[in-house]
Amino acid sequence: MSTATLTLTADDLLWNWARWCWAGETVGNMTPYQPARDDFSPILVDHAQAVDRMHQALPRHEQMVVIAEYPQKNVRFGMLNEQQRRVLARRWIGTTTGVWMTDEQYTLYLGLFRDAVGRQLT
């Protein structure tokens, strides 16, 4: 099936970007991640690079929100529920960038980026 016939959501595109990140150099101060099982979904490189360009344009603390929810979700925060993950992610972001955000801000930044990916790439 060609990518032209695929129906991709913003979430699909962000997970594709995460797989692309895992396949090459890590983003920022990410911990390398090797999935426990092989994911045979092909990496749509053009889509991943488009997401990466959008990601690179964000302020560092917003980049790290996206990193925490996609490439680092399983490796850094995998054993945590959503609330625990977000608390630790906000602490990680705050200690790294000096920007301490509320859960509402974290959720807003994530949603705005996901929406932008959806508008531009789907």
Short mmCIF file of all heavy atoms in Angstrom, two decimals, residues 25-81:
data_model
loop_
_atom_site.label_atom_id
_atom_site.label_comp_id
_atom_site.label_asym_id
_atom_site.label_seq_id
_atom_site.Cartn_x
_atom_site.Cartn_y
_atom_site.Cartn_z
N GLU A 25 19.92 8.96 15.45
CA GLU A 25 20.42 9.68 16.61
C GLU A 25 19.27 10.08 17.51
O GLU A 25 18.15 10.31 17.05
CB GLU A 25 21.19 10.92 16.15
CG GLU A 25 22.48 10.58 15.45
CD GLU A 25 23.33 11.80 15.23
OE1 GLU A 25 23.33 12.70 16.08
OE2 GLU A 25 24.00 11.83 14.19
N THR A 26 19.56 10.19 18.78
CA THR A 26 18.52 10.57 19.73
C THR A 26 18.27 12.07 19.67
O THR A 26 19.12 12.85 19.29
CB THR A 26 18.91 10.17 21.16
OG1 THR A 26 20.15 10.79 21.48
CG2 THR A 26 19.03 8.67 21.31
N VAL A 27 17.06 12.45 20.05
CA VAL A 27 16.65 13.85 20.06
C VAL A 27 17.01 14.44 21.42
O VAL A 27 16.65 13.88 22.45
CB VAL A 27 15.11 13.96 19.85
CG1 VAL A 27 14.67 15.40 19.95
CG2 VAL A 27 14.73 13.37 18.51
N GLY A 28 17.71 15.56 21.43
CA GLY A 28 18.02 16.24 22.68
C GLY A 28 18.75 15.34 23.66
O GLY A 28 19.71 14.67 23.32
N ASN A 29 18.24 15.28 24.89
CA ASN A 29 18.88 14.45 25.91
C ASN A 29 18.08 13.17 26.14
O ASN A 29 17.99 12.66 27.24
CB ASN A 29 19.06 15.24 27.21
CG ASN A 29 17.75 15.70 27.80
OD1 ASN A 29 16.71 15.65 27.15
ND2 ASN A 29 17.79 16.18 29.03
N MET A 30 17.51 12.64 25.05
CA MET A 30 16.73 11.40 25.10
C MET A 30 17.62 10.22 25.45
O MET A 30 18.77 10.15 25.04
CB MET A 30 16.15 11.10 23.72
CG MET A 30 14.74 11.45 23.54
SD MET A 30 14.07 11.06 21.89
CE MET A 30 15.00 9.74 21.24
N THR A 31 17.04 9.27 26.15
CA THR A 31 17.68 7.99 26.38
C THR A 31 17.39 7.12 25.17
O THR A 31 16.26 7.07 24.70
CB THR A 31 17.09 7.33 27.64
OG1 THR A 31 17.28 8.22 28.74
CG2 THR A 31 17.74 5.99 27.92
N PRO A 32 18.39 6.41 24.61
CA PRO A 32 18.11 5.53 23.48
C PRO A 32 17.06 4.48 23.85
O PRO A 32 16.98 4.06 25.00
CB PRO A 32 19.45 4.87 23.20
CG PRO A 32 20.46 5.80 23.78
CD PRO A 32 19.79 6.42 24.97
N TYR A 33 16.24 4.09 22.89
CA TYR A 33 15.16 3.14 23.16
C TYR A 33 15.14 2.07 22.08
O TYR A 33 15.19 2.39 20.90
CB TYR A 33 13.81 3.85 23.19
CG TYR A 33 12.63 2.92 23.37
CD1 TYR A 33 12.46 2.21 24.54
CD2 TYR A 33 11.69 2.75 22.36
CE1 TYR A 33 11.39 1.36 24.71
CE2 TYR A 33 10.62 1.91 22.53
CZ TYR A 33 10.47 1.21 23.70
OH TYR A 33 9.40 0.38 23.88
N GLN A 34 15.07 0.85 22.50
CA GLN A 34 14.89 -0.28 21.59
C GLN A 34 13.60 -0.97 22.02
O GLN A 34 13.52 -1.49 23.12
CB GLN A 34 16.07 -1.25 21.69
CG GLN A 34 15.92 -2.48 20.82
CD GLN A 34 15.91 -2.14 19.35
OE1 GLN A 34 16.63 -1.27 18.88
NE2 GLN A 34 15.07 -2.80 18.59
N PRO A 35 12.57 -0.95 21.18
CA PRO A 35 11.31 -1.59 21.57
C PRO A 35 11.53 -3.06 21.92
O PRO A 35 12.37 -3.73 21.33
CB PRO A 35 10.44 -1.47 20.32
CG PRO A 35 11.07 -0.41 19.49
CD PRO A 35 12.53 -0.39 19.84
N ALA A 36 10.75 -3.55 22.89
CA ALA A 36 10.86 -4.94 23.32
C ALA A 36 10.51 -5.89 22.18
O ALA A 36 11.07 -6.96 22.05
CB ALA A 36 9.96 -5.19 24.52
N ARG A 37 9.57 -5.49 21.36
CA ARG A 37 9.22 -6.31 20.20
C ARG A 37 9.52 -5.50 18.96
O ARG A 37 9.48 -4.27 18.97
CB ARG A 37 7.75 -6.73 20.23
CG ARG A 37 6.78 -5.57 20.10
CD ARG A 37 5.34 -6.09 20.03
NE ARG A 37 4.41 -5.01 19.88
CZ ARG A 37 4.19 -4.34 18.75
NH1 ARG A 37 4.83 -4.65 17.66
NH2 ARG A 37 3.32 -3.34 18.70
N ASP A 38 9.84 -6.18 17.91
CA ASP A 38 10.10 -5.48 16.66
C ASP A 38 8.80 -4.92 16.11
O ASP A 38 7.78 -5.61 16.06
CB ASP A 38 10.73 -6.42 15.62
CG ASP A 38 12.16 -6.79 15.97
OD1 ASP A 38 12.82 -5.95 16.63
OD2 ASP A 38 12.60 -7.88 15.61
N ASP A 39 8.83 -3.68 15.73
CA ASP A 39 7.68 -3.04 15.09
C ASP A 39 7.99 -3.00 13.60
O ASP A 39 8.90 -2.31 13.18
CB ASP A 39 7.48 -1.63 15.65
CG ASP A 39 6.24 -0.96 15.10
OD1 ASP A 39 5.64 -1.49 14.14
OD2 ASP A 39 5.88 0.09 15.63
N PHE A 40 7.24 -3.77 12.85
CA PHE A 40 7.53 -3.88 11.42
C PHE A 40 6.81 -2.82 10.59
O PHE A 40 6.78 -2.90 9.39
CB PHE A 40 7.21 -5.29 10.92
CG PHE A 40 8.13 -6.32 11.52
CD1 PHE A 40 7.66 -7.21 12.46
CD2 PHE A 40 9.46 -6.36 11.17
CE1 PHE A 40 8.51 -8.14 13.03
CE2 PHE A 40 10.33 -7.29 11.74
CZ PHE A 40 9.84 -8.18 12.67
N SER A 41 6.22 -1.82 11.28
CA SER A 41 5.63 -0.72 10.54
C SER A 41 6.75 0.03 9.84
O SER A 41 7.75 0.38 10.47
CB SER A 41 4.89 0.23 11.48
OG SER A 41 3.86 -0.44 12.15
N PRO A 42 6.58 0.28 8.56
CA PRO A 42 7.64 1.02 7.87
C PRO A 42 7.70 2.45 8.39
O PRO A 42 6.69 3.03 8.78
CB PRO A 42 7.19 0.99 6.41
CG PRO A 42 5.71 0.82 6.47
CD PRO A 42 5.44 0.00 7.69
N ILE A 43 8.90 2.98 8.43
CA ILE A 43 9.06 4.38 8.82
C ILE A 43 8.88 5.22 7.56
O ILE A 43 9.55 5.02 6.56
CB ILE A 43 10.45 4.61 9.43
CG1 ILE A 43 10.59 3.82 10.74
CG2 ILE A 43 10.68 6.11 9.67
CD1 ILE A 43 11.97 3.84 11.34
N LEU A 44 7.95 6.13 7.64
CA LEU A 44 7.69 7.05 6.53
C LEU A 44 8.61 8.25 6.74
O LEU A 44 8.30 9.19 7.46
CB LEU A 44 6.22 7.46 6.52
CG LEU A 44 5.22 6.29 6.49
CD1 LEU A 44 3.80 6.78 6.67
CD2 LEU A 44 5.39 5.47 5.23
N VAL A 45 9.78 8.17 6.13
CA VAL A 45 10.86 9.11 6.40
C VAL A 45 10.46 10.55 6.09
O VAL A 45 10.74 11.46 6.88
CB VAL A 45 12.14 8.70 5.64
CG1 VAL A 45 13.23 9.74 5.82
CG2 VAL A 45 12.61 7.34 6.11
N ASP A 46 9.81 10.78 4.96
CA ASP A 46 9.42 12.15 4.61
C ASP A 46 8.49 12.74 5.67
O ASP A 46 8.64 13.90 6.06
CB ASP A 46 8.73 12.20 3.25
CG ASP A 46 9.69 11.91 2.10
OD1 ASP A 46 10.92 11.95 2.31
OD2 ASP A 46 9.20 11.64 0.99
N HIS A 47 7.55 11.93 6.13
CA HIS A 47 6.64 12.39 7.18
C HIS A 47 7.40 12.65 8.48
O HIS A 47 7.17 13.65 9.16
CB HIS A 47 5.53 11.36 7.42
CG HIS A 47 4.54 11.26 6.32
ND1 HIS A 47 4.77 10.51 5.20
CD2 HIS A 47 3.32 11.81 6.17
CE1 HIS A 47 3.73 10.60 4.39
NE2 HIS A 47 2.84 11.39 4.95
N ALA A 48 8.30 11.74 8.84
CA ALA A 48 9.08 11.89 10.07
C ALA A 48 9.93 13.15 10.02
O ALA A 48 10.03 13.89 11.00
CB ALA A 48 9.94 10.66 10.29
N GLN A 49 10.54 13.41 8.88
CA GLN A 49 11.38 14.60 8.76
C GLN A 49 10.54 15.87 8.82
O GLN A 49 10.99 16.88 9.40
CB GLN A 49 12.19 14.53 7.47
CG GLN A 49 13.27 13.48 7.53
CD GLN A 49 13.99 13.28 6.22
OE1 GLN A 49 13.48 13.56 5.15
NE2 GLN A 49 15.21 12.75 6.30
N ALA A 50 9.32 15.83 8.29
CA ALA A 50 8.43 16.99 8.38
C ALA A 50 8.05 17.25 9.83
O ALA A 50 8.05 18.40 10.30
CB ALA A 50 7.19 16.78 7.51
N VAL A 51 7.72 16.18 10.57
CA VAL A 51 7.41 16.33 11.99
C VAL A 51 8.64 16.86 12.72
O VAL A 51 8.53 17.75 13.58
CB VAL A 51 6.92 15.00 12.61
CG1 VAL A 51 6.83 15.09 14.13
CG2 VAL A 51 5.58 14.59 12.02
N ASP A 52 9.81 16.35 12.39
CA ASP A 52 11.02 16.78 13.06
C ASP A 52 11.29 18.26 12.83
O ASP A 52 11.71 18.97 13.75
CB ASP A 52 12.21 15.93 12.59
CG ASP A 52 13.40 16.08 13.53
OD1 ASP A 52 13.24 15.81 14.73
OD2 ASP A 52 14.47 16.48 13.05
N ARG A 53 11.06 18.75 11.64
CA ARG A 53 11.25 20.18 11.37
C ARG A 53 10.29 21.01 12.23
O ARG A 53 10.69 22.04 12.79
CB ARG A 53 11.04 20.49 9.88
CG ARG A 53 12.20 20.07 9.00
CD ARG A 53 12.07 20.58 7.58
NE ARG A 53 10.91 20.03 6.89
CZ ARG A 53 10.89 18.86 6.24
NH1 ARG A 53 11.99 18.11 6.20
NH2 ARG A 53 9.80 18.46 5.63
N MET A 54 9.06 20.55 12.34
CA MET A 54 8.09 21.25 13.20
C MET A 54 8.55 21.20 14.66
O MET A 54 8.47 22.20 15.38
CB MET A 54 6.70 20.61 13.05
CG MET A 54 6.08 20.79 11.69
SD MET A 54 4.54 19.85 11.49
CE MET A 54 3.47 20.76 12.62
N HIS A 55 9.02 20.05 15.08
CA HIS A 55 9.49 19.86 16.45
C HIS A 55 10.67 20.77 16.75
O HIS A 55 10.74 21.40 17.81
CB HIS A 55 9.85 18.39 16.66
CG HIS A 55 10.28 18.06 18.04
ND1 HIS A 55 11.61 17.89 18.36
CD2 HIS A 55 9.57 17.88 19.18
CE1 HIS A 55 11.69 17.61 19.65
NE2 HIS A 55 10.49 17.60 20.18
N GLN A 56 11.61 20.86 15.82
CA GLN A 56 12.80 21.70 16.01
C GLN A 56 12.45 23.18 16.14
O GLN A 56 13.20 23.94 16.76
CB GLN A 56 13.79 21.49 14.86
CG GLN A 56 14.41 20.11 14.83
CD GLN A 56 15.20 19.79 16.08
OE1 GLN A 56 15.88 20.64 16.63
NE2 GLN A 56 15.09 18.56 16.55
N ALA A 57 11.32 23.59 15.58
CA ALA A 57 10.92 25.00 15.64
C ALA A 57 10.32 25.39 16.99
O ALA A 57 10.15 26.58 17.27
CB ALA A 57 9.91 25.29 14.52
N LEU A 58 10.01 24.41 17.83
CA LEU A 58 9.41 24.69 19.13
C LEU A 58 10.46 25.18 20.13
O LEU A 58 11.63 24.82 20.03
CB LEU A 58 8.79 23.41 19.71
CG LEU A 58 7.61 22.80 18.98
CD1 LEU A 58 7.25 21.45 19.62
CD2 LEU A 58 6.41 23.74 19.00
N PRO A 59 10.01 25.94 21.14
CA PRO A 59 10.91 26.24 22.27
C PRO A 59 11.30 24.92 22.95
O PRO A 59 10.55 23.94 22.92
CB PRO A 59 10.06 27.10 23.20
CG PRO A 59 8.92 27.58 22.38
CD PRO A 59 8.71 26.56 21.30
N ARG A 60 12.46 24.90 23.59
CA ARG A 60 13.00 23.66 24.16
C ARG A 60 12.03 22.96 25.11
O ARG A 60 11.88 21.74 25.06
CB ARG A 60 14.33 23.97 24.89
CG ARG A 60 15.00 22.74 25.43
CD ARG A 60 15.52 21.88 24.28
NE ARG A 60 16.17 20.71 24.83
CZ ARG A 60 15.99 19.50 24.33
NH1 ARG A 60 15.21 19.31 23.29
NH2 ARG A 60 16.59 18.47 24.86
N HIS A 61 11.37 23.70 26.00
CA HIS A 61 10.47 23.04 26.95
C HIS A 61 9.29 22.40 26.24
O HIS A 61 8.83 21.34 26.64
CB HIS A 61 10.01 24.02 28.05
CG HIS A 61 9.19 25.16 27.58
ND1 HIS A 61 9.75 26.25 26.94
CD2 HIS A 61 7.86 25.38 27.64
CE1 HIS A 61 8.78 27.10 26.63
NE2 HIS A 61 7.63 26.60 27.03
N GLU A 62 8.81 22.99 25.15
CA GLU A 62 7.72 22.38 24.38
C GLU A 62 8.23 21.16 23.61
O GLU A 62 7.51 20.17 23.46
CB GLU A 62 7.09 23.41 23.44
CG GLU A 62 6.33 24.49 24.18
CD GLU A 62 5.67 25.49 23.26
OE1 GLU A 62 5.18 25.09 22.19
OE2 GLU A 62 5.65 26.68 23.61
N GLN A 63 9.45 21.22 23.10
CA GLN A 63 10.05 20.05 22.46
C GLN A 63 10.05 18.88 23.44
O GLN A 63 9.73 17.75 23.07
CB GLN A 63 11.49 20.32 22.03
CG GLN A 63 11.66 21.24 20.87
CD GLN A 63 13.12 21.50 20.57
OE1 GLN A 63 14.02 21.14 21.33
NE2 GLN A 63 13.37 22.15 19.43
N MET A 64 10.44 19.16 24.67
CA MET A 64 10.56 18.09 25.65
C MET A 64 9.22 17.49 26.04
O MET A 64 9.15 16.31 26.37
CB MET A 64 11.33 18.59 26.87
CG MET A 64 12.81 18.82 26.55
SD MET A 64 13.77 19.33 27.99
CE MET A 64 13.80 17.78 28.91
N VAL A 65 8.13 18.26 25.98
CA VAL A 65 6.80 17.70 26.22
C VAL A 65 6.52 16.63 25.17
O VAL A 65 6.10 15.51 25.49
CB VAL A 65 5.71 18.81 26.17
CG1 VAL A 65 4.32 18.19 26.14
CG2 VAL A 65 5.86 19.77 27.35
N VAL A 66 6.79 16.95 23.91
CA VAL A 66 6.54 16.01 22.82
C VAL A 66 7.47 14.79 22.95
O VAL A 66 7.04 13.64 22.76
CB VAL A 66 6.71 16.70 21.45
CG1 VAL A 66 6.51 15.71 20.30
CG2 VAL A 66 5.73 17.87 21.33
N ILE A 67 8.72 15.02 23.32
CA ILE A 67 9.67 13.92 23.53
C ILE A 67 9.17 13.00 24.63
O ILE A 67 9.21 11.78 24.51
CB ILE A 67 11.07 14.47 23.85
CG1 ILE A 67 11.69 15.14 22.62
CG2 ILE A 67 11.99 13.36 24.36
CD1 ILE A 67 12.93 15.97 22.92
N ALA A 68 8.68 13.59 25.72
CA ALA A 68 8.21 12.79 26.86
C ALA A 68 7.00 11.94 26.49
O ALA A 68 6.83 10.83 26.99
CB ALA A 68 7.86 13.70 28.05
N GLU A 69 6.16 12.44 25.60
CA GLU A 69 4.93 11.72 25.25
C GLU A 69 5.08 10.77 24.08
O GLU A 69 4.20 9.93 23.85
CB GLU A 69 3.81 12.73 24.96
CG GLU A 69 3.34 13.47 26.18
CD GLU A 69 2.67 12.56 27.20
OE1 GLU A 69 1.89 11.67 26.82
OE2 GLU A 69 2.92 12.76 28.41
N TYR A 70 6.16 10.88 23.33
CA TYR A 70 6.36 9.98 22.20
C TYR A 70 7.68 9.21 22.31
O TYR A 70 7.67 8.11 22.85
CB TYR A 70 6.16 10.73 20.86
CG TYR A 70 4.69 11.04 20.66
CD1 TYR A 70 4.14 12.25 21.08
CD2 TYR A 70 3.82 10.10 20.13
CE1 TYR A 70 2.78 12.51 20.94
CE2 TYR A 70 2.47 10.34 19.99
CZ TYR A 70 1.95 11.55 20.39
OH TYR A 70 0.61 11.80 20.27
N PRO A 71 8.82 9.72 21.86
CA PRO A 71 10.02 8.86 21.88
C PRO A 71 10.41 8.35 23.27
O PRO A 71 10.93 7.25 23.38
CB PRO A 71 11.11 9.76 21.31
CG PRO A 71 10.40 10.79 20.51
CD PRO A 71 9.09 11.00 21.20
N GLN A 72 10.16 9.11 24.31
CA GLN A 72 10.58 8.69 25.64
C GLN A 72 9.45 8.13 26.50
O GLN A 72 9.68 7.74 27.65
CB GLN A 72 11.24 9.85 26.38
CG GLN A 72 12.61 10.18 25.81
CD GLN A 72 13.59 9.05 26.04
OE1 GLN A 72 14.09 8.88 27.14
NE2 GLN A 72 13.87 8.28 25.02
N LYS A 73 8.26 8.07 25.98
CA LYS A 73 7.10 7.62 26.77
C LYS A 73 7.33 6.25 27.38
O LYS A 73 7.08 6.03 28.57
CB LYS A 73 5.84 7.61 25.91
CG LYS A 73 4.61 7.19 26.68
CD LYS A 73 3.37 7.28 25.80
CE LYS A 73 2.13 6.97 26.60
NZ LYS A 73 0.93 7.16 25.78
N ASN A 74 7.80 5.32 26.60
CA ASN A 74 7.97 3.95 27.09
C ASN A 74 9.29 3.71 27.81
O ASN A 74 9.34 2.99 28.80
CB ASN A 74 7.81 2.95 25.93
CG ASN A 74 6.42 2.99 25.37
OD1 ASN A 74 5.45 3.07 26.10
ND2 ASN A 74 6.31 2.96 24.06
N VAL A 75 10.36 4.32 27.34
CA VAL A 75 11.66 4.03 27.94
C VAL A 75 11.87 4.78 29.24
O VAL A 75 12.33 4.21 30.22
CB VAL A 75 12.81 4.31 26.95
CG1 VAL A 75 12.95 5.77 26.62
CG2 VAL A 75 14.12 3.78 27.48
N ARG A 76 11.53 6.02 29.31
CA ARG A 76 11.77 6.82 30.52
C ARG A 76 10.60 6.74 31.49
O ARG A 76 10.78 6.81 32.69
CB ARG A 76 12.03 8.27 30.13
CG ARG A 76 12.41 9.17 31.30
CD ARG A 76 12.66 10.60 30.85
NE ARG A 76 13.85 10.73 30.06
CZ ARG A 76 15.05 11.07 30.54
NH1 ARG A 76 15.21 11.29 31.83
NH2 ARG A 76 16.09 11.18 29.74
N PHE A 77 9.39 6.58 30.95
CA PHE A 77 8.18 6.67 31.77
C PHE A 77 7.27 5.46 31.62
O PHE A 77 6.11 5.50 31.99
CB PHE A 77 7.39 7.94 31.40
CG PHE A 77 8.22 9.19 31.42
CD1 PHE A 77 8.58 9.83 30.25
CD2 PHE A 77 8.66 9.73 32.62
CE1 PHE A 77 9.34 10.99 30.27
CE2 PHE A 77 9.43 10.89 32.65
CZ PHE A 77 9.77 11.51 31.47
N GLY A 78 7.78 4.37 31.07
CA GLY A 78 6.97 3.22 30.69
C GLY A 78 6.18 2.53 31.78
O GLY A 78 5.13 1.98 31.53
N MET A 79 6.67 2.54 32.99
CA MET A 79 5.99 1.81 34.06
C MET A 79 5.02 2.70 34.85
O MET A 79 4.51 2.29 35.88
CB MET A 79 7.03 1.20 35.01
CG MET A 79 8.02 0.27 34.30
SD MET A 79 7.24 -1.03 33.33
CE MET A 79 6.71 -2.10 34.64
N LEU A 80 4.77 3.88 34.37
CA LEU A 80 3.95 4.85 35.10
C LEU A 80 2.59 5.04 34.44
O LEU A 80 2.47 4.92 33.22
CB LEU A 80 4.68 6.19 35.15
CG LEU A 80 6.10 6.17 35.71
CD1 LEU A 80 6.75 7.53 35.52
CD2 LEU A 80 6.09 5.75 37.17
N ASN A 81 1.61 5.40 35.24
CA ASN A 81 0.32 5.77 34.65
C ASN A 81 0.44 7.19 34.09
O ASN A 81 1.46 7.86 34.30
CB ASN A 81 -0.82 5.62 35.66
CG ASN A 81 -0.75 6.60 36.81
OD1 ASN A 81 -0.37 7.77 36.66
ND2 ASN A 81 -1.11 6.14 38.00
#
